[in-house]
Amino acid sequence: MSVPGSPAVSSALHECSVREAAARVRRRQVSSVELTRAALARIEAVEPRVGAFLARCEAEALAAAEAIDRRVAAGDDPGPLGGVPVGVKDNICTAGVRTTAASRILESFVPAYDATVTAKLRHAGAVIVGKLNCDEFAMGSSTENSALGRTRNPWDPERVPGGSSGGSGAAVAARAVHAALGTDTGGSVRLPAAFCGVVGLKPTYGRVSRYGVIAYASSLDQVGPVTRDVADAAVVLEAIAGHDPADSTASPRPVPAYQDGLDAGVRGMRLGLPREYFVEGMQPEVEQAVRAAVRELERLGAVIEEVSLPHTEYAIATYYLIATAEASSNLARYDGVRYGLRVPGQSLGEMYERSRAAGFGAEVKRRIMLGTYALSAGYYDAYYLKAQQVRTLVRRDFERALERCDALLTPVAPTTAFRIGEKVDDPLTMYLSDIMTISVNLAGLPALVVPCGADGAGLPIGLQVIGRHFDEATMLRIGYAHELASDWHRRSPIP
Amino acid sequence: MAALARLRLEPDEEERLRSDLSAILEAFERLQGLDTAGVEPTAHVEDFGALLRADEITNPPAGEALVANAPARDGRRFRVPKIIE
Amino acid sequence: MSEPAASGAWTLDGYEAVIGLEVHAELLTRAKVFCGCSAAFGGEPNTNVCPVCLGMPGVLPVLNRRVVEFAIRAGLASSCAIAPRSRFARKNYFYPDLPKGYQISMYEQPLCEHGWVELLVDGRPRRVGLTRIHLEEDTGKNVHDAVAGGSLVDFNRSGVPLLEIVGEPEIRSPAEAGAYLRALRSVLQYLEICDGNMEEGSFRCDANVSVRPLGATALGTKVEIKNMNSFRNVERAVAWELQRQVRALQAGERLVQETRLWDPEREETRSMRSKEHAHDYRYFPEPDLLPLEVPQEWVDEVRATLPELPGPRRRRFERDHGLSAYDADVLTQRKDVADYFEAGIAAGAQPKEMANWVTTEILRLVRERKLDDALVIRDWPVTPAQVAALSQLVDAGTINRGTAKQLLPRLLGTDDDPAAIVRREGLAQVSDRGALEQAVRDVIARCPEQAAQLRAGKDKVIGFLVGQVMKATGGKANPQLVQELLKAALAS
């Protein structure tokens, strides 16, 4: 039994992994209420510096925690995440709790329904303590596009946490929650994971249900866990993955036990390094850290070889055409009629225009315009259709490379976390931060980011492992082997 | 284009947007140089055939919650300003 | 191909008509097309709704398999090719009754293509090509807000499944347009997939109308006409629009490709001055729905459940029952009526007699009681067996037609056997010469003027005299015999 009020125990509570926390709850060494209070206290302590949360659900969380504690007391299994405080990105619907997608247009929107992943978290026993900040409608790479909050990198408050799931990355790095859910359309789970020095996983497209996830780009979006270590990512992924009768694009494939076989090692694995990803102008420390991690894996028995993904240079344009086209359509429902912000107008047309003008930020407007243009009469063939064809070429590049290799290893971004305000005025430059993550979404493949180093300023550097279609297991094995041989994931920015 | 997307832009917004967009569109032009003759467009990354559900009423009649977010209502109906043709 | 206009085609001052019809049919599934809400008509506003059909953030569509089944039925019944793979597409536009800001429809790869509809125009059989049939979702309903001046929106109808049925521009006259719609509705009713009610909006029609010089092959400027809520209004609107176009061209005006609304009060079409000059729907493949796979086994399964369709049934009635094309057409417009007719034959009625009874008396009763509002009539006021019995009594000469007509209302809602009533009440017609001769003599005596006219050869007056004899005999005289006897009596 825990000793309530004992500083040593309670200050350690927010430090432990998801697995450890769940185990302690199951063993009745700690109650979910204690864990939850510890998380809420930690959030209180770090938020002024980090600003990861858009909403905290204290009452709901404590009620859920109490319910878990009752189940445990009754001898029932509380679930793989039983009693563990987690955060959810604010573009994922949580019934009865404000869900805004970090946009003014949904500032007061309270969904009457859970996203499927939210329901699965609850079913697994997780305690949702708050909603996490992000770029508005998940559009961005720094979380600077949020209309409702500012999130800072816990490693350096002058720097961005990455985006669009910046709140998720920052909250996990700051140990405010044991795990978080983010979404990844072009790198939005992986980039914050890299910039914040934590683990981020983007599943294969279709591995996890998108029902209740506020759509940005339907053929690219996926929900993924942000955690402190690889084994936790496996636990959370297992809890949220699987078929969903409410999502026609969710795969019927059974969900493997991702926690099993994590420690099987990398001996005999063939790992590819795509030459196009080691670009000119990369921050030298980033390249060094990634190459060091690669050498370590080689030392552990993997065979490293160079591969080529020749259509990489076209990926950014392809991604932005497809994503903005789909987004322009997905965001048409925000018209002030049934929910969300309405700015009155003399006529319907005026109401639409004013509501959307006031409700959407600059980046969202930019992408809606681009997307509308890409689909418009006369341009469809040249833009949208062409982009979908190039997408096929990008997919084939990966298929070829992954025929020979079990996985690919790449950096996550050309640099470590950049300064707040540095790239906001030049969208094109901002888009280029996605260059190493984007193609993965185009191909629908899974990818895992693990911390593998730090630069001179102590800013984290991430390693990306790209796996085969629906082969998250191999990817997790590789990440786990790396983790065992290093300590980067143990570094914490805020004591 | 703004009209098609139902966005009303301020003049300076429009200016900035125009220059941002043209820079991005130039990047898109690069795609034109790529030969994609005979390449199938990827409409869906994973294709396991359309999911079909049984013809059953699984939703009970809606309660208050679904209309609760309405910015303007008359009873249970959503109210909107007049449509000018 | 330069040909003179086919007979029955509309022409005016050397112009001919090119008409294509687009029909939207609401399907009779229990649930909506992409969610599990009830698809039933009516109900308190915004009760048959859920996050999906309200277009709330994060929701996704899942396809109702019965909707696909119904679409396959419609496709097979109109001889279309059923695509083994078809795709959904988004049609993007803003309107308050369109919750997502786009409608999920089909664009480049529809489910059914290249079929036809069989129709009868003025008794002549014709085929009009069917370009395509595809699935889509219906929108909600805007109602004018009398209080605040705007609109009130109800989404109960949002997400109800629709079939869009696009006909080839092969219709050549307003009458043909009406016949096409009736034939199409008939098919959908036979299949029990749509109740075909134009007034209630479960069967909607837009018309594309253009004119061109007789025999020309190039198409003229096409005008779309909306807001026609009955078959007659479609015929009227098309006729009016055709004339407008010819007059405009004759006056040297250029026709504009536009959408016009039919005004049933003023009986004219008027241009819709819409803010969006050209609707750019920005169609693209729906990423939330995977391509629809319809394997041959499914098509075969559905084909096995198809009833005999109106066209083949009509032809069989003509052939096997010796009916006229007209009678066969009337009897096969509705499957339940055709079934009723054949049940009567099975109970022993003569086809021509049964046809007569059904097309006159039975259909009249059905219309009076609005029984034909139902998709399938189940509670007939009188059974086919009862009608068959009646017609057999007349055939056998047991009663005359007048008596039979009087008996019919007495059978309504009962199980009574007409033969039993005839026996019990002594309604059998009198065919005894002796008895009738006396009545004939009496009438001749009472009506000397008419008798003289008949003797003089004015055959028309025989009806009156027969009527008098019928009256005198309480309607029971055998009319044919009476006529014979009258003529005989006056010939001498």
Side-chain angles (χ1 to χ4, degrees):
Chain A
M1 288 292 267
S2 66
V3 180
S6 155
V9 175
S10 58
S11 71
L13 283 180
H14 65 262
E15 290 289 342
C16 56
S17 68
V18 167
R19 292 170 338 282
E20 167 104 37
R24 288 205 203 174
V25 167
R26 206 173 300 121
R27 286 187 236 123
R28 305 192 198 193
Q29 288 168 339
V30 76
S31 70
S32 177
V33 169
E34 283 171 284
L35 272 177
T36 304
R37 285 201 204 284
L40 292 169
R42 177 70 177 179
I43 293 171
E44 186 71 37
V46 303
E47 270 296 273
R49 173 169 158 172
V50 177
F53 285 85
L54 287 178
R56 295 180 226 177
C57 325
E58 292 197 18
E60 293 90 345
L62 287 168
E66 281 161 18
I68 294 288
D69 288 335
R70 280 197 295 274
R71 289 177 59 93
V72 174
D76 293 332
D77 181 1
L81 303 175
V84 180
V86 301
V88 172
K89 183 174 179 180
D90 209 21
N91 65 348
I92 298 174
C93 287
T94 42
V97 173
R98 207 184 67 146
T99 301
T100 67
S103 178
R104 290 208 187 289
I105 218 166
L106 288 177
E107 198 170 352
S108 344
F109 177 67
V110 180
Y113 49 98
D114 269 341
T116 297
V117 291
T118 304
K120 287 193 167 210
L121 280 181
R122 295 194 210 275
H123 184 71
V127 173
I128 299 170
V129 291
K131 305 301 295 294
L132 294 163
N133 195 21
C134 54
D135 283 298
E136 189 180 355
F137 284 103
M139 299 180 187
S141 311
S142 63
T143 308
E144 292 172 290
N145 291 327
S146 168
L148 302 179
R150 294 197 71 173
T151 304
R152 298 165 184 282
N153 193 316
W155 294 90
D156 177 351
E158 301 302 307
R159 292 180 184 265
V160 302
S164 61
S165 313
S168 308
V172 171
R175 298 351 191 195
V177 287
H178 299 266
L181 289 188
T183 64
D184 190 311
T185 306
S188 292
V189 158
R190 292 164 285 153
L191 190 62
F195 280 8
C196 294
V198 290
V199 172
L201 189 155
K202 182 201 95 66
T204 310
Y205 181 84
R207 178 75 283 184
V208 178
S209 167
R210 290 183 300 116
Y211 183 84
V213 178
I214 298 179
Y216 158 21
S218 315
S219 74
L220 299 164
D221 294 341
Q222 269 293 280
V223 176
V226 179
T227 55
R228 300 173 201 175
D229 62 31
V230 173
D232 273 1
V235 172
V236 178
L237 179 62
E238 218 179 296
I240 61 173
H243 179 61
D244 182 11
D247 177 356
S248 302
T249 61
S251 171
R253 288 189 200 218
V255 180
Y258 291 120
Q259 297 173 71
D260 295 348
L262 272 181
D263 55 0
V266 297
R267 189 160 297 285
M269 277 196 196
R270 219 179 185 82
L271 303 177
L273 295 186
R275 73 168 77 100
E276 294 83 2
Y277 281 53
F278 290 83
V279 297
E280 286 241 346
M282 230 178 18
Q283 189 177 332
E285 291 144 308
V286 170
E287 181 161 0
Q288 278 155 33
V290 169
R291 289 205 186 275
V294 170
R295 278 196 302 277
E296 186 60 37
L297 287 167
E298 199 170 24
R299 203 185 54 77
L300 289 170
V303 175
I304 310 294
E305 64 176 61
E306 197 186 66
V307 297
S308 173
L309 302 172
H311 292 93
T312 301
E313 64 181 291
Y314 301 105
I316 299 259
T318 304
Y319 167 84
Y320 276 99
L321 276 169
I322 295 170
T324 58
E326 292 176 3
S328 71
S329 178
N330 285 327
L331 269 62
R333 68 190 64 195
Y334 305 107
D335 56 12
V337 172
R338 292 143 287 124
Y339 51 82
L341 179 69
R342 178 191 291 203
V343 177
Q346 301 279 53
S347 70
L348 180 73
E350 211 174 81
M351 181 201 95
Y352 280 156
E353 289 177 1
R354 286 194 181 162
S355 304
R356 290 162 66 81
F360 290 142
E363 184 59 38
V364 170
K365 285 180 188 161
R366 197 170 5 243
R367 296 196 194 194
I368 291 176
M369 296 287 279
L370 264 174
T372 305
Y373 188 61
L375 292 173
S376 62
Y379 295 99
Y380 178 86
D381 284 358
Y383 287 134
Y384 186 77
L385 188 59
K386 185 86 179 180
Q388 291 285 38
Q389 287 176 306
V390 178
R391 185 175 184 175
T392 302
L393 296 177
V394 169
R395 281 173 67 197
R396 285 187 197 161
D397 280 359
F398 277 98
E399 271 161 32
R400 244 175 265 122
L402 288 165
E403 261 166 36
R404 301 183 44 71
C405 301
D406 298 289
L408 306 179
L409 301 171
T410 79
V412 183
T415 66
T416 54
F418 46 86
R419 289 187 194 288
I420 291 173
E422 192 178 309
K423 302 201 181 183
V424 154
D425 289 328
D426 188 353
L428 197 53
T429 313
M430 184 74 87
Y431 295 170
L432 290 173
S433 345
D434 296 331
I435 197 158
M436 292 158 186
T437 49
I438 260 178
S439 301
V440 170
N441 300 80
L442 290 174
L445 295 172
L448 176 71
V449 163
V450 290
C452 72
D455 69 6
L459 296 169
I461 296 168
L463 168 72
Q464 176 171 239
V465 183
I466 303 172
R468 290 191 182 120
H469 215 44
F470 287 101
D471 190 14
E472 283 80 353
T474 300
M475 194 176 78
L476 287 163
R477 246 170 84 184
I478 297 166
Y480 191 79
H482 161 85
E483 214 173 66
L484 279 183
S486 72
D487 260 340
W488 295 107
H489 62 288
R490 289 192 216 285
R491 291 176 75 230
S492 169
I494 303 172
Chain B
M1 204 55 51
L4 215 47
R6 294 294 187 281
L7 290 175
R8 171 172 294 190
L9 302 168
E10 301 303 314
D12 63 302
E13 256 184 320
E14 218 178 295
E15 234 349 275
R16 252 202 329 250
L17 208 56
R18 202 190 297 277
S19 70
D20 288 339
L21 289 182
S22 53
I24 295 163
L25 288 172
E26 255 176 65
F28 290 173
E29 290 306 317
R30 300 194 56 221
L31 283 185
Q32 301 314 314
L34 196 54
D35 179 17
T36 52
V39 177
E40 268 300 300
T42 296
H44 299 99
V45 195
E46 169 85 343
D47 191 351
F48 35 84
L51 180 65
L52 298 170
R53 18 172 278 275
D55 182 29
E56 266 148 34
I57 299 168
T58 53
N59 294 332
E64 180 62 20
L66 284 178
V67 293
N69 281 290
R73 319 195 237 161
D74 178 328
R76 286 190 70 89
R77 286 182 293 185
F78 299 92
R79 182 184 276 147
V80 297
K82 63 178 174 295
I83 302 151
I84 294 183
E85 285 295 336
Chain C
M1 254 187 334
S2 192
E3 276 180 10
S7 68
W10 179 95
T11 62
L12 176 62
D13 296 350
Y15 283 95
E16 64 182 15
V18 176
I19 303 160
L21 297 179
E22 202 175 280
V23 166
H24 284 88
E26 262 181 29
L27 296 178
L28 293 170
T29 52
R30 286 179 216 117
K32 293 184 177 182
V33 62
F34 295 123
C35 67
C37 288
S38 166
F41 180 79
E44 239 212 283
N46 292 309
T47 48
N48 290 338
V49 294
C50 72
V52 177
C53 55
L54 278 178
M56 305 211 98
V59 298
L60 296 171
V62 181
L63 181 58
N64 178 339
R65 95 179 340 256
R66 201 114 178 272
V67 174
V68 180
E69 188 200 302
F70 281 13
I72 297 170
R73 297 183 85 185
L76 290 175
S78 49
S79 311
C80 290
I82 312 292
R85 238 177 158 218
S86 49
R87 286 182 191 280
F88 289 94
R90 291 191 186 179
K91 180 179 180 182
N92 298 279
Y93 66 96
F94 286 85
Y95 209 65
D97 64 8
L98 189 66
K100 297 187 291 296
Y102 59 85
Q103 180 196 34
I104 300 179
S105 177
M106 287 179 153
Y107 188 56
E108 284 178 337
Q109 293 178 38
L111 181 58
C112 315
E113 284 189 300
H114 309 314
W116 61 83
V117 174
E118 288 188 41
L119 41 136
L120 268 190
V121 197
D122 296 334
R124 282 187 316 279
R126 271 262 296 155
R127 266 188 192 181
V128 171
L130 222 155
T131 319
R132 52 186 275 157
I133 303 179
H134 70 247
L135 307 177
E136 56 185 39
E137 52 179 350
D138 209 346
T139 62
K141 268 219 195 93
N142 278 346
V143 164
H144 177 64
D145 181 2
V147 174
S151 301
L152 299 174
V153 196
D154 172 16
F155 291 98
N156 280 353
R157 197 184 68 176
S158 161
V160 166
L162 289 179
L163 278 189
E164 179 172 319
I165 303 169
V166 181
E168 290 285 338
E170 291 171 2
I171 293 174
R172 303 163 312 176
S173 74
E176 201 158 288
Y180 172 89
L181 291 173
R182 283 182 194 90
L184 183 57
R185 181 179 66 170
S186 204
V187 169
L188 298 183
Q189 284 176 334
Y190 265 60
L191 298 174
E192 293 182 42
I193 63 178
C194 171
D195 64 24
N197 192 324
M198 270 199 95
E199 286 78 3
E200 278 182 11
S202 65
F203 189 86
R204 302 167 217 162
C205 174
D206 298 330
N208 289 304
V209 177
S210 66
V211 295
R212 64 184 175 192
L214 260 177
T217 47
L219 294 171
T221 305
K222 184 172 70 167
V223 168
E224 186 188 24
I225 309 176
K226 288 169 135 21
N227 199 44
M228 303 162 291
N229 69 348
S230 70
F231 293 163
R232 290 211 56 207
N233 270 322
V234 170
E235 291 177 19
R236 282 209 214 103
V238 167
W240 194 92
E241 176 61 20
L242 285 168
Q243 193 168 71
R244 179 192 79 86
Q245 291 191 11
V246 171
R247 297 299 172 226
L249 288 174
Q250 286 171 333
E253 288 169 33
R254 285 204 63 195
L255 292 172
V256 173
Q257 181 164 330
E258 58 176 345
T259 300
R260 298 175 73 92
L261 293 180
W262 171 247
D263 182 339
E265 312 290 307
R266 319 253 288 271
E267 298 215 354
E268 60 182 23
T269 67
R270 275 202 319 279
S271 183
M272 274 179 79
R273 296 180 348 93
S274 175
K275 220 170 147 204
E276 248 178 287
H277 13 270
H279 273 292
D280 181 0
Y281 293 121
R282 287 160 280 134
Y283 284 100
F284 69 100
E286 170 60 81
D288 292 332
L289 289 170
L290 296 178
L292 176 59
E293 316 245 299
V294 176
Q296 191 57 42
E297 298 81 64
W298 195 0
V299 175
D300 295 339
E301 250 173 57
V302 174
R303 195 192 299 275
T305 68
L306 294 182
E308 187 185 20
L309 293 169
R313 200 164 191 184
R314 173 175 51 76
R315 285 192 290 281
R316 184 168 64 75
F317 277 19
E318 286 178 51
R319 198 182 55 236
D320 294 355
H321 299 310
L323 298 178
S324 70
Y326 176 79
D327 277 349
D329 189 37
V330 172
L331 288 174
T332 54
Q333 285 274 307
R334 291 181 63 103
K335 181 170 176 295
D336 45 15
V337 170
D339 290 344
Y340 187 99
F341 167 78
E342 292 207 289
I345 308 287
Q350 266 282 305
K352 285 209 172 69
E353 284 295 317
M354 191 67 193
N356 202 347
W357 280 103
V358 175
T359 57
T360 55
E361 300 304 316
I362 304 303
L363 283 183
R364 180 180 53 78
L365 282 170
V366 160
R367 275 181 217 119
E368 270 168 21
R369 285 141 191 256
K370 294 192 180 297
L371 297 178
D372 50 354
D373 280 355
L375 180 64
V376 176
I377 302 169
R378 302 213 189 273
D379 294 313
W380 296 89
V382 58
T383 68
Q386 285 170 317
V387 174
L390 262 185
S391 93
Q392 281 171 304
L393 288 170
V394 171
D395 256 357
T398 312
I399 57 174
N400 61 41
R401 214 174 276 285
T403 306
K405 283 217 171 90
Q406 280 172 14
L407 265 179
L408 184 64
R410 298 178 54 191
L411 296 170
L412 298 185
T414 75
D415 280 330
D416 297 347
D417 174 19
I421 302 179
V422 165
R423 273 196 305 276
R424 208 171 52 226
E425 300 182 12
L427 300 173
Q429 75 179 341
V430 179
S431 296
D432 176 51
R433 295 189 90 95
L436 287 182
E437 267 166 6
Q438 183 56 51
V440 164
R441 276 199 294 275
D442 290 344
V443 164
I444 288 174
R446 269 191 290 124
C447 311
E449 213 181 287
Q450 288 83 355
Q453 284 178 346
L454 186 61
R455 199 179 274 123
K458 291 224 164 81
D459 286 333
K460 275 216 195 125
V461 80
I462 196 149
F464 171 79
L465 290 168
V466 169
Q468 289 300 306
V469 175
M470 297 301 290
K471 253 222 278 264
T473 59
K476 288 198 270 189
N478 181 328
Q480 285 82 14
L481 191 49
V482 166
Q483 231 187 66
E484 213 190 285
L485 294 174
L486 271 173
K487 284 196 179 150
L490 294 170
S492 52

